[in-house]
Amino acid sequence: MLRFLGQRAAMGLLTIFVTTIAVTLLIHLVPGDPVEIMYAQSQGTTPEQLEAMRSSLGLDQPIPVQYVHFLGRLLQGDLGVTIRGQQPVAQLLMQRLPNTLALAALAMVIATVIGMPLGFLAAYKRGTLIDGVLMVTAIAGISIPHFWLGLLLLFWLAVDLGILPVAGSGPLNIVLPALTLGLSNAAIVARMTRSAMIDVMSQDFIRTAHAKGLPKSKVLRRHVLRAGLVPVVTVMGLQFAFMMGGAIVVENIFAWNGIGRLALEAIFQRDYPVIQGFILVFATTVVVVMLALDAVYALLDPRIRRS
């Protein structure tokens, strides 16, 4: 188990390392002079100011030197400052990150609580009308874009019924964006749970358990459910990453002050230090969450614990 987790941690560190290279190169992928593009909307900017900004960002140095300097600052927790406002990027991201993590975590809970029981029910009732209705509903849920589902929930629950606030960052404001992300991903979790459970139910050890006379409920609870959760947990890790990405759209629909909304604002303002910091923090967060889910995966699968 420790070897498995060690390998996963090494892959995670490699992912973060590659991300640091991509973040360094990002600013050079923009056609033209990045500094002039950043200040395109500013009036009265002098060439001396542009040159000073170019020097402060290190863009007047070779790319390998820029990367070494960026890595050195990164190890000290320094992601630079914003173009507008001169605020520390790391501090700004850390202020918004808890909101996005809370949103993604609540959405994951909603997706799991809804998707897993429905997927298990569909597998248990395989080939019946219940199975068909649940899977058609799941396909419809997967097909609906986040922004469209978010607007539907917004008009229905906030505008028409008035039971939830429209937007903001209060305690109840997280419900609508979490429902938007959670319901979409519940459909994916349901389909994966159904497929995993059907596959486990056809295994020889399940038939052996039935042949030994074990109660059906015990077989389903102790054997089918536990073995079927292994691939589902893996998919949930990927879904968390998708939720973090989907939060960029959802946070802007509901004015939720997370890093997704901050990233979109930075894109419109051409604030490249914030964009670079967002990509790095996003990748690191996903790697950490995936490592945590790998630990759960190892606990569920006895073959990994014995390795």
Side-chain angles (χ1 to χ4, degrees):
M1 177 177 175
L2 292 177
R3 185 173 63 182
F4 170 78
L5 294 178
Q7 292 173 347
R8 295 293 185 175
M11 292 177 61
L13 290 175
L14 179 61
T15 301
I16 295 174
F17 173 72
V18 173
T19 303
T20 61
I21 298 176
V23 162
T24 304
L25 295 175
L26 172 66
I27 200 169
H28 296 280
L29 297 178
V30 181
D33 187 346
V35 174
E36 291 183 1
I37 293 174
M38 289 182 210
Y39 282 92
Q41 298 174 349
S42 300
Q43 301 295 328
T45 305
T46 65
E48 290 76 15
Q49 290 175 322
L50 294 178
E51 188 60 33
M53 177 54 64
R54 193 175 292 109
S55 177
S56 67
L57 293 175
L59 297 179
D60 56 345
Q61 299 174 346
I63 293 179
V65 176
Q66 292 181 36
Y67 176 71
V68 172
H69 289 171
F70 173 76
L71 204 59
R73 294 195 307 270
L74 180 62
L75 293 176
Q76 299 175 10
D78 183 8
L79 293 175
V81 295
T82 61
I83 298 298
R84 290 167 176 80
Q86 298 295 303
Q87 295 178 274
V89 173
Q91 179 181 346
L92 195 59
L93 289 170
M94 289 303 105
Q95 289 173 351
R96 300 282 194 100
L97 181 60
N99 288 341
T100 298
L101 290 177
L103 173 59
L106 182 56
M108 179 64 75
V109 170
I110 292 172
T112 303
V113 170
I114 296 176
M116 287 187 63
L118 293 181
F120 188 80
L121 177 62
Y124 184 69
K125 297 290 186 180
R126 178 178 49 173
T128 65
L129 179 62
I130 294 177
D131 179 28
V133 170
L134 289 176
M135 287 304 99
V136 169
T137 304
I139 292 173
I142 295 172
S143 304
I144 298 175
H146 285 149
F147 71 89
W148 193 64
L149 178 60
L151 291 175
L152 286 179
L153 293 175
L154 180 66
F155 283 116
W156 179 39
L157 297 177
V159 178
D160 290 344
L161 299 180
I163 59 177
L164 289 172
V166 175
S169 298
L172 290 179
N173 294 92
I174 195 174
V175 177
L176 276 177
L179 279 174
T180 302
L181 284 175
L183 290 177
S184 298
N185 289 277
I188 299 174
V189 173
R191 285 183 59 82
M192 281 303 306
T193 302
R194 177 185 181 274
S195 299
M197 295 304 170
I198 290 177
D199 181 64
V200 171
M201 288 177 183
S202 63
Q203 299 294 321
D204 291 337
F205 74 93
I206 298 298
R207 287 193 287 267
T208 301
H210 284 301
K212 288 182 177 180
L214 292 177
K216 192 171 185 178
S217 59
K218 189 174 183 179
V219 173
L220 292 174
R221 185 177 66 255
R222 296 190 57 181
H223 298 283
V224 175
L225 184 60
R226 184 165 186 173
L229 282 178
V230 174
V232 175
V233 168
T234 303
V235 171
M236 287 173 63
L238 297 175
Q239 288 306 112
F240 186 87
F242 290 144
M243 288 180 186
M244 290 283 291
I248 296 176
V249 176
V250 173
E251 286 178 0
N252 280 275
I253 293 175
F254 297 100
W256 182 254
N257 286 322
I259 61 172
R261 188 181 182 197
L262 177 65
L264 197 60
E265 292 171 352
I267 291 172
F268 285 126
Q269 295 174 356
R270 297 181 175 91
D271 202 329
Y272 286 96
V274 177
I275 299 172
Q276 290 175 314
F278 165 77
I279 295 173
L280 190 59
V281 169
F282 179 89
T284 304
T285 303
V286 171
V287 166
V288 171
V289 172
M290 292 295 288
L291 284 175
L293 289 174
D294 283 334
V296 176
Y297 182 94
L299 292 174
L300 290 173
D301 194 336
R303 294 171 297 179
I304 296 176
R305 291 201 303 271
R306 290 194 293 266
S307 62

